Amino acid sequence: MQARRPTIDDVARHSGVGRTTVSRVLNDGPNVRPEVRDRVWASVRSLNYSVNPQARSLASGSSGLIALVFASDFDAQPNSFYASALELGALRECLVQGRHLLTHHVPQHSPDWKRQVLELIRTQRCQGVVLTPPFSDDPDLVKAATAQCAVALISPSPSTRGLADGVGVDDEAGGYDVARHLLGLGHRNLAYITGLESHLSAARRLEGLRRAVKSQGLDPASVRVLGGDFTFRSGVEHTRRLLGERSPPTAIICANDDTAAGALSVAHGLHLSVPDELSITGFDDTPMSEIVWPPLTTVHQPLKDMAGAAVSAIARRLAGEEDGPRFETLPHRVIARESSGPPGAP
């Protein structure tokens, strides 16, 4: 029976340090004391550990660069808080790993967007790439990218989750939890403003919402669903439409905080009291959710931690991690603030 080859985790346990420290040593990264570096290399020799040849070939001759790729829509306002949180988390982990971060935006509606992403990897000689939605949901792109470099996916769909390392929250559970929060307050007339049609995480949040509604013995089809695009503008346009109906919703659930801020601005413009006459919730828990008035009830998604975990996954892959693609689920939670309350509260 063939003996199991030692892994980076074995080296970490043998040397008494974390796997991140081992990764830094193997990649000649900074911020490691000489005595720790010597101890790690002694464990490498003692265990006869060798870096995965495929991973090493990915790293060889490269620029030490990890690209963080966002989809952009030049006809809509960018979801800046979401992007900046991911960028900050990725940058922090790149500093830990002794690597450089390149942030790049690709127009998602361009006919050659896949070619643009792959050309970026090739021309910049990237060691790794972090793909964000909806790029992280495309199997063809993920397969082509993994042939060129190490890949990590932010909030990937089930169709790509087994193709590369990934990290995210349980979006279906997040949608369920925020809907249960509103249902627990007594709301039965709900509306949902979703995100981009290609963004499967937002669709999963809707699935969770409908599951929560069904759990209360209500018809999931009673929830009005309007197709947004994660922007403030879509929150404004769809909330105006919803509040102009004969029986407007008592609560509007939004796929992200930017959309919720747009919904909130319409409520203020109509002199509606939030949450007394209308409850509004978001998703992401971006800094803006605490700045607006009233502060938004939202679902906390640890964006900086997600991006950091994605970069860490790439570093482990390049350092010779033997395991196949893994998906790391980070915790979420509902942050109940002043924008949600019982319907018709005095």
Side-chain angles (χ1 to χ4, degrees):
M1 186 173 180
Q2 186 176 5
R4 181 179 70 88
R5 294 180 60 185
T7 69
I8 192 172
D9 289 321
D10 296 325
V11 175
R13 283 190 294 268
H14 189 274
S15 57
V17 300
R19 70 157 72 191
T20 300
T21 300
V22 175
S23 178
R24 288 184 212 153
V25 172
L26 294 175
N27 290 280
D28 198 26
N31 305 321
V32 181
R33 298 193 309 274
E35 60 269 29
V36 173
R37 194 179 297 274
D38 292 342
R39 191 163 74 244
V40 169
W41 280 116
S43 295
V44 168
R45 291 189 294 270
S46 176
L47 295 173
N48 197 27
Y49 172 79
S50 61
V51 176
N52 184 310
Q54 181 181 5
R56 179 60 70 190
S57 68
L58 287 170
S60 63
S62 65
S63 61
L65 202 64
I66 293 177
L68 174 62
V69 180
F70 293 103
S72 63
D73 183 348
F74 295 143
D75 295 326
Q77 310 98 319
N79 185 353
S80 56
F81 288 109
Y82 175 87
S84 62
L86 289 177
E87 184 174 11
L88 179 58
L91 179 59
R92 286 175 174 173
E93 187 60 25
C94 279
L95 291 173
V96 169
Q97 299 292 342
R99 301 182 188 278
H100 306 289
L101 181 69
L102 169 66
T103 302
H104 192 76
H105 289 256
V106 174
Q108 64 198 59
H109 299 303
S110 173
D112 66 341
W113 60 266
K114 290 183 186 179
R115 183 197 62 78
Q116 291 186 47
V117 174
L118 297 174
E119 188 72 5
L120 170 73
I121 296 171
R122 186 186 66 81
T123 58
Q124 298 296 322
R125 298 186 298 120
C126 296
Q127 282 187 290
V129 61
V130 178
L131 297 176
T132 64
F135 297 154
S136 58
D137 297 328
D138 189 278
D140 291 338
L141 173 63
V142 174
K143 290 176 184 177
T146 54
Q148 296 191 39
C149 69
V151 177
L153 310 174
I154 298 291
S155 303
S157 68
S159 64
T160 57
R161 193 167 290 185
L163 300 177
D165 295 314
V167 61
V169 299
D170 187 334
D171 287 290
E172 196 273 348
Y176 175 87
D177 290 343
V178 73
R180 286 282 296 185
H181 166 73
L182 291 169
L183 291 165
L185 291 171
H187 291 276
R188 295 297 181 267
N189 188 353
L190 305 176
Y192 179 67
I193 302 177
T194 187
L196 292 165
E197 184 177 357
S198 57
H199 195 302
L200 299 183
S201 292
R204 291 282 290 159
R205 294 166 197 169
L206 175 58
E207 291 174 7
L209 187 165
R210 285 173 168 158
R211 178 166 67 90
V213 169
K214 187 176 181 179
S215 73
Q216 296 296 301
L218 305 173
D219 182 5
S222 66
V223 178
R224 277 157 290 180
V225 179
L226 289 82
D229 59 6
F230 292 121
T231 64
F232 180 94
R233 183 181 65 191
S234 70
V236 169
E237 293 174 351
H238 290 314
T239 300
R240 284 175 179 163
R241 184 179 309 171
L242 287 166
L243 297 182
E245 295 179 352
R246 180 173 298 180
S247 178
T250 62
I252 299 176
I253 302 173
C254 299
N256 74 335
D257 292 341
D258 282 31
T259 302
L264 189 61
S265 73
V266 172
H268 289 325
L270 296 174
H271 304 291
L272 294 177
S273 174
V274 178
D276 294 347
E277 296 175 274
L278 176 68
S279 287
I280 298 171
T281 66
F283 204 104
D284 286 339
D285 191 26
T286 59
M288 182 260 305
S289 65
E290 296 184 272
I291 296 171
V292 296
W293 184 259
L296 281 171
T297 292
T298 186
V299 177
H300 175 71
Q301 183 173 208
L303 296 170
K304 291 190 288 291
D305 292 342
M306 288 165 57
V311 171
S312 180
I314 288 174
R316 293 196 304 270
R317 185 70 51 192
L318 294 171
E321 181 64 46
E322 296 295 329
D323 296 340
R326 65 173 68 180
F327 179 80
E328 183 177 358
T329 302
L330 298 185
H332 71 276
R333 67 184 186 276
V334 174
I335 307 294
R337 298 194 180 105
E338 289 89 336
S339 73
S340 61

